[in-house]
Structure formats: C-alpha cells, structure tokens
Amino acid sequence: MHLPDTAHPPCRPTDRHPPAVARSAGPPARAEPLTSADRETALHGLLVRTRALHTESTESGDRYPLYADRGRWTWSRRGSWTPGFWSGLLDLATRTGVLPAGTAEAAAARLAPRLVDDTVTRAMTFWYGARTAGTLRTAAAERLLDSRMVSTRLVPVGSAWGAGARGRATLEVDCWAPLIRLLCRTGSGALPEGRDTAAALARHALSSALTERPDGRIAVFGRLRADRSGALLPDAPPTHGDRAFAWALLGLAEAAAHLPPAGETGLLARHCAEAALRMSRQWPDPADTDTGTSTSTSTSTDITTGPGTRPTATVTRTTGPHTTTGTGPGPSAPPPDTSADAIVAVARLKLAALGHPGCLDAADGTLARLVRHHVTPATGPTAPDLPTGGAAFTGTRYRIRPGPGPGSGRARTASVESVWGTFFLAHALAVRLGVLPAGEL
C-alpha cells in the first residue's frame, strides 16, 4: 500500500535485507548470563511478590493491581486493560507452587465479564490470562472476529478506554501478538475465519505499520486509521525502540511461529520472521552497567526514576493500550522502559524456539541486565504470615493520572512497577528455566 510520507516507505522484504536466519538477533550480550540459580531466585522473588499482592487483593474486595508509583499501588475493580496479565501471574505462581491449587482457575473464571468489553485488549485479557479456560479463549476470539471492521476485516481498537466511535476505525500494535495466538488456535478452539484474519493482520503489519528510516532502521506506526476505502493510514508518528516497537516485534514473532506454514501464509510467516529478526537486532540494548559504558550509574531502588534511567527526549510512545505522546529515548539512547525490554526478551525467546541463531544469547543478555539492575527487594504490601514482599521489577515508563483531591497535579510520565512488566519478565525467566515452553506463552 502506498504511504503518503515517501520518506518512510513501507517495510517489505527486499534483496538489500535478505532473511537473517544465520545472523545474530541483537548485539552480543555483554553481561554474564544468569545462572539457573540466578533465574530461580529472581523468578521466586517476583512470584512471592505476586503472592503478597494477591493476599492484599483478596482482603480488600478482589481488586486488580495495575502499577505502583513510589511503592504505592493503584488498584482497579475491573482491571483496566491489564487483568489478563494479573491472572497470568497468578497462573504461573500456581504452577510453581507459590500459590495453592485452584488459584489459577478462579482467576481465569473471574475474567468472564470482560468478554463484552468493546476493546481489542480482550485479546490480551484472554490469551495471557485464561490458559486454564479454553472456552473463554474461544468466546473471546469469536467476539473479536465479530468486531472486525467491514472495510478491512481487521479487529479495531474498539470504543472502550475513551476511544469512542473513532476507535472502531483505528488499529494499534499493542495486541497483535495475543490476537494472532487466539485466532490461530488449533483443535477444539479453532475458528474457520481466525487464521485468515491473522494472516490479514500480518500482511497489513508488514505493508502499513512498519516503515524503513533513511538509516535502514525499522520504525513502527503504533496507530493506524482506516479510511472509507479500507486503506490504512498512519495516525501517529513512527517510533523506534519504545514499547510500541516491542509490541510489534512480539506480534511479528508470533506470526512467524503460528501462521500456517504451507503456501502463501508460509511465505508470509517467513517475511514476518525476517522483519522480527531485523527489529531484534536493532533493539537498543544498552551495554551492561558492569562495563561502565551504560548511562546507569547504580542499582538504586528509587521507583521515581528507576535504576538505569537513560537520556530522554519527546517522542510518541504507548502508555497503556493506546499510543500517546510522552518522554522517550534521546537520539542514541534506548527508551527508559524496562517493560519494553521484557517484551523484547520474550519475543527473542520465541524466535530462538524457531531455530534462529543469536536470539537466545540476545534474550539472555537482556534478562541478565533486567534482573541485576531492575529487580530489587520489595518494600510493598506483605501479609502477616509472609516474611517478605518478594522482589519488585521497576522501570516501566507509564503515564499516570494524578491522585484524588485538590493540588494533586497533572498527569505525568513516571517510572513504575507494572503488572505487565512483571508478567513478561517472570514468564521469560520461566521459559529459560524450562517451567514452560516458549510456544505456550
């Protein structure tokens, strides 16, 4: 499809960039990889933290934790756009014995009222949060297919979260990965139109949402708008190295793994793998702080700035399910958002599971940096019978609303501990420990 901005041509496979199956998917990991004991300690700390939050949640009306700013958690009765991540954390804690049997099933069942929400984030909710409830996943996929735009046959953002009528003609990259997983399910959960829609999503992703900058780097249009003819036009500036970029990378990795491998969709899957590998190589991994070359100067637990804060400038980035303008990386610095790093680590593990060399080393380098410099002993809520609050994973960049009462100030972008960041880091560690295969996540 022709883009109006010729300085940012669509990103398509070309002879200049052949498939990168034999090349590294990122810079060599400068940090010493984590040992199995390191991974076990980090994962256990994150899940003990989950257990402590679960105790507080159940004692205060079954609320969902969203994020913690300066150690103070913001809670939601319905879970906002993140209930699937919380349910998924409870599932992982149950599978590893940190929470009792039955916790995961109860958490998944609690998601059922979210089926009627007019939002594409239902894909996140039911893919990541309803592993134990296949019927809910099938129902979510059916409702998402029913919500497709007539002009493009793609699933729009929807009218929830303030998007209104415009949201029914808007696409965003955030939910590509769980959408593809839900729509490409096989067996009893398979839907006749699901794979066709997933293939259409991947096709539009390559032709409309990715663009190549003059320096050869891929940038992502995090939000697209469909005109009356069905053409998809950028509705936000292209970005590189932020959470929208990470969501897009994960979506392409899932398409590479789960689109039908034969015929036209098989070729499409290979093109998705090529784009994902290029994006992985271009992800701005900072040098390990132990080398002295990173902008991080300490392992401070100050949740206001977060450890390893990097230079920032003004760019467009995602601050929830939608794309907005906020602070982001300077010209040569990665974005100060550890949740994006964790999403990229999961994407690299998925590419490694497909046999692409270099991806596992790249994922290990990212995990080593995140665990050593952003996972710290938690000082948040604990129950009387819990000796520790576990470990907190901080550094997610998120635009938060001011607190209640006069003088609370304007919304601001802060470095927080987030449910989604913890979800992706914990699951990446679980994959590396063999607790679950990469393809299950």
Side-chain angles (χ1 to χ4, degrees):
M1 188 188 81
H2 175 70
L3 288 180
D5 182 359
T6 56
H8 299 287
C11 179
R12 299 187 180 94
T14 67
D15 292 336
R16 287 196 306 123
H17 298 286
V21 294
R23 298 177 60 185
S24 170
R30 302 185 186 182
E32 187 70 22
L34 299 172
T35 65
S36 291
D38 293 334
R39 295 180 188 123
E40 288 176 0
T41 298
L43 178 59
H44 183 72
L46 295 173
L47 296 181
V48 168
R49 175 69 157 167
T50 299
R51 181 176 65 185
L53 286 168
H54 178 59
T55 299
E56 178 161 317
S57 170
T58 56
E59 291 178 349
S60 58
D62 280 335
R63 298 173 300 164
Y64 288 93
L66 303 180
Y67 60 85
D69 176 38
R70 301 186 179 99
R72 182 184 296 274
W73 279 91
T74 292
W75 300 80
S76 167
R77 180 178 58 83
R78 293 162 52 90
S80 186
W81 60 280
T82 67
F85 296 119
W86 177 241
S87 180
L89 278 171
L90 296 180
D91 183 16
L92 185 57
T94 303
R95 297 174 74 173
T96 54
V98 176
L99 283 170
T103 304
E105 289 76 6
R110 201 178 149 213
L111 298 174
R114 303 282 68 78
L115 282 171
V116 299
D117 294 344
D118 182 23
T119 170
V120 70
T121 61
R122 284 178 290 187
M124 288 179 169
T125 297
F126 292 98
W127 179 255
Y128 295 127
R131 181 188 65 86
T132 61
T135 55
L136 284 179
R137 280 183 166 178
T138 300
E142 290 172 340
R143 289 174 182 258
L144 287 163
L145 286 172
D146 289 344
S147 74
R148 288 175 296 178
M149 292 182 284
V150 174
S151 60
T152 65
R153 305 306 289 164
L154 298 176
V155 180
V157 167
S159 62
W161 316 125
R166 184 178 176 85
R168 295 194 179 97
T170 301
L171 300 173
E172 291 184 346
V173 303
D174 308 54
C175 294
W176 283 359
L179 261 177
I180 286 170
R181 295 305 303 273
L182 281 175
L183 298 178
C184 288
R185 292 175 71 208
T186 58
S188 61
L191 299 173
E193 296 180 86
R195 293 186 177 187
D196 290 343
T197 301
L201 170 60
R203 202 172 292 112
H204 282 293
L206 292 173
S207 65
S208 302
L210 304 186
T211 184
E212 186 169 312
R213 305 192 315 191
D215 63 2
R217 290 181 174 269
I218 292 175
V220 173
F221 293 109
R223 186 171 61 238
L224 300 167
R225 177 178 49 82
D227 65 15
R228 292 184 178 181
S229 70
L232 296 178
L233 305 174
D235 200 33
T239 64
H240 175 87
D242 65 349
R243 198 156 67 239
F245 188 96
W247 288 128
L249 169 54
L250 181 59
L252 290 167
E254 295 287 31
H258 296 286
L259 288 178
E264 182 183 347
T265 55
L267 179 61
L268 179 60
R270 291 191 290 275
H271 287 167
C272 288
E274 176 189 339
L277 288 164
R278 286 183 61 196
M279 292 172 73
S280 177
R281 291 195 304 273
Q282 294 171 8
W283 180 253
D285 287 296
D288 177 53
T289 53
D290 290 339
T291 68
T293 58
S294 170
T295 56
S296 175
T297 57
S298 71
T299 55
S300 166
T301 58
D302 180 0
I303 201 167
T304 304
T305 59
T309 298
R310 309 160 195 161
T312 61
T314 298
V315 299
T316 298
R317 63 165 57 251
T318 52
T319 60
H322 308 307
T323 305
T324 60
T325 298
T327 58
S332 60
D337 187 343
T338 57
S339 71
D341 287 315
I343 293 166
V344 169
V346 168
R348 286 170 167 171
L349 290 174
K350 290 178 176 288
L351 292 169
L354 293 175
H356 295 294
C359 296
L360 187 61
D361 287 344
D364 280 347
T366 300
L367 292 177
R369 174 172 54 83
L370 293 179
V371 167
R372 290 187 176 128
H373 301 287
H374 298 277
V375 175
T376 58
T379 58
T382 57
D385 60 334
L386 296 178
T388 175
F393 175 44
T394 59
T396 294
R397 293 292 291 180
Y398 194 64
R399 190 159 182 81
I400 62 176
R401 292 185 298 241
S408 57
R410 298 179 178 178
R412 60 188 174 86
T413 299
S415 180
V416 302
E417 177 185 0
S418 71
V419 167
W420 62 94
T422 302
F423 172 92
F424 283 107
L425 178 59
H427 281 78
L429 292 168
V431 169
R432 289 299 285 123
L433 286 167
V435 175
L436 70 160
E440 184 179 313
L441 172 58

